[in-house]
Amino acid sequence: MAAEDSGVSSDELRSEEGFDCRTLDSGAPPDTALEWFERSLWAGHCYVFDANAVRIGHDGVRTLALTHEIQDGVERGVAHFLDGPALVVERRGRIGRLSWAGDHGNTPSSPAGIAAHLDGLYRLQLGGQERIANRHTQRLDIAPLDSLRFGHRLWLDMATGLPLKQTLLDETGRVVETFQFTEFTDAYLYQGNVVFDHARPPPEDPWVAGWLPKGFMPQPVDTRSARHDEQVVHRLYSDGLSTLSLFVEPLGSTDVLAPGLHRLGVSHAAVRHRELGGEVRQVVVMGELPPRVLLRVADTLEWQGES
């Protein structure tokens, strides 16, 4: 996953630590399920490509045109939704870190860190080989070891390692979302380094998540948005595959949502109005996770005092 851009100049980028994408051509082919998974993560950062894709979920079918570019070691991904409401999503950034920097500032880059972090949270197994978007793929089954997160199934391009098809499976094993390339052209490996995001110190929030599923860690990304009031605090947590968003805001500073559980496509949002820090605040927890997990995170938020 790529962290959001923080405005570092091109000269600074060239001096930062990075991953040499050319090593993906020289290394041995993946053998185990974990090796295939890590290869897919690095490939997602290192290949330049154009593709058409389809997303099938609870809210219907959407088609997209995708572009992934790299310039001076910085990634830029753009998704154009081709039907329904006009929507363009753009992300620009570096290879992210797995967590905020600790006392010594050492945090692994996302692909290496994620692959190691999944042990004890998911079971990874190789499936059969199938043809997707006119290319040969290796299927990878990722099953959670508890009932607190969803499962995943990936079809990885055998030539590049890129995921050409992904399905999300709920706690019963039912497919709730499918994302698949339908056309995949002009892919080539970037001949240089993709830079890592710099280590970021953790923010000083007056609250802390009192409970999170095992393996979930705060993500070191800037979550400020022009769409939100300055009093709206937004934090991300992830176990490497599943992600949840946590919003905390004074009740009078934002649109008031009805307490309870709301469905948002394949995601859910748990809403609570709680007295925290001497005033009523709206707590919203969103993610592609079992609803009871989102509700528990919202109910166990702990106030520690003003930062």
Side-chain angles (χ1 to χ4, degrees), residues 19-26 42 45-47 70 95 189-194:
F19 176 76
D20 188 348
C21 291
R22 292 168 290 191
T23 61
L24 294 181
D25 255 352
S26 58
W42 289 119
H45 291 295
C46 282
Y47 275 90
I70 305 171
I95 298 177
L189 194 63
Y190 179 66
Q191 298 298 297
N193 280 18
V194 178

Side-chain angles (χ1 to χ4, degrees), residues 144 146-151 153 168-176 290 292:
D146 57 33
S147 61
L148 303 178
R149 63 205 87 215
F150 288 170
R153 190 168 292 149
L168 181 69
L169 298 89
D170 66 15
E171 63 267 45
T172 68
R174 179 176 61 94
V175 174
V176 294
R292 59 187 174 83

Side-chain angles (χ1 to χ4, degrees), residues 241-294:
L241 277 176
S242 301
T243 301
L244 65 84
S245 288
L246 175 59
F247 297 85
V248 181
E249 52 210 300
L251 196 59
S253 69
T254 185
D255 294 333
V256 177
L257 303 175
L261 195 65
H262 302 258
R263 180 145 199 173
L264 305 170
V266 298
S267 300
H268 288 85
V271 180
R272 291 291 193 243
H273 297 163
R274 298 182 52 200
E275 184 174 340
L276 298 166
E279 65 178 301
V280 178
R281 302 175 191 269
Q282 181 166 270
V283 179
V284 181
V285 185
M286 302 171 56
E288 296 176 353
L289 291 161
R292 59 187 174 83
V293 170
L294 304 177

Side-chain angles (χ1 to χ4, degrees), residues 17-285:
E17 180 186 9
F19 176 76
D20 188 348
C21 291
R22 292 168 290 191
T23 61
L24 294 181
D25 255 352
S26 58
D31 184 33
T32 67
L34 187 59
E35 289 173 355
W36 269 106
F37 180 71
E38 185 172 350
R39 164 78 184 204
S40 75
L41 295 178
W42 289 119
H45 291 295
C46 282
Y47 275 90
V48 177
F49 63 86
D50 294 308
N52 290 330
V54 60
R55 183 178 66 82
I56 306 170
H58 177 77
D59 54 349
V61 179
R62 301 290 300 273
T63 54
L64 307 89
L66 307 174
T67 299
H68 186 255
E69 305 170 335
I70 305 171
Q71 184 175 4
D72 292 332
V74 176
E75 300 173 66
R76 176 177 176 265
V78 182
H80 292 263
F81 286 78
L82 303 180
D83 47 25
L87 178 64
V88 178
V89 179
E90 179 175 344
R91 297 186 66 185
R92 182 178 184 271
R94 307 163 179 81
I95 298 177
R97 302 278 178 172
L98 188 59
S99 62
W100 298 103
D103 294 337
H104 303 290
N106 295 322
T107 54
S109 57
S110 286
I114 289 173
H117 185 68
L118 293 187
D119 185 37
L121 302 176
Y122 296 88
R123 180 183 297 107
L124 281 68
Q125 293 181 310
L126 294 177
Q129 297 180 4
E130 302 179 31
R131 185 165 163 263
I132 303 290
N134 201 32
R135 299 177 71 94
H136 296 292
T137 66
Q138 171 66 60
R139 198 184 81 214
L140 178 60
D141 298 329
I142 306 177
L145 297 180
D146 57 33
S147 61
L148 303 178
R149 63 205 87 215
F150 288 170
H152 302 258
R153 190 168 292 149
L154 309 177
W155 285 258
L156 307 178
D157 181 31
M158 296 188 70
T160 65
L162 287 167
L164 302 186
K165 180 179 178 180
Q166 307 175 51
T167 58
L168 181 69
L169 298 89
D170 66 15
E171 63 267 45
T172 68
R174 179 176 61 94
V175 174
V176 294
E177 183 179 59
T178 298
F179 184 88
Q180 179 176 333
F181 285 14
T182 57
E183 186 178 8
F184 178 55
T185 58
D186 303 325
Y188 65 89
L189 194 63
Y190 179 66
Q191 298 298 297
N193 280 18
V194 178
V195 294
F196 296 146
D197 191 26
H198 57 276
R200 302 169 185 262
E204 296 181 357
D205 293 324
W207 48 263
V208 64
W211 176 87
L212 291 167
K214 177 184 176 183
F216 272 74
M217 297 185 296
Q219 298 299 288
V221 296
D222 185 355
T223 51
R224 289 172 296 178
S225 170
R227 295 176 298 175
H228 296 141
D229 186 271
E230 288 185 359
Q231 297 185 76
V232 178
V233 180
H234 175 208
R235 297 288 177 246
L236 292 174
Y237 300 84
S238 177
D239 66 359
L241 277 176
S242 301
T243 301
L244 65 84
S245 288
L246 175 59
F247 297 85
V248 181
E249 52 210 300
L251 196 59
S253 69
T254 185
D255 294 333
V256 177
L257 303 175
L261 195 65
H262 302 258
R263 180 145 199 173
L264 305 170
V266 298
S267 300
H268 288 85
V271 180
R272 291 291 193 243
H273 297 163
R274 298 182 52 200
E275 184 174 340
L276 298 166
E279 65 178 301
V280 178
R281 302 175 191 269
Q282 181 166 270
V283 179
V284 181
V285 185

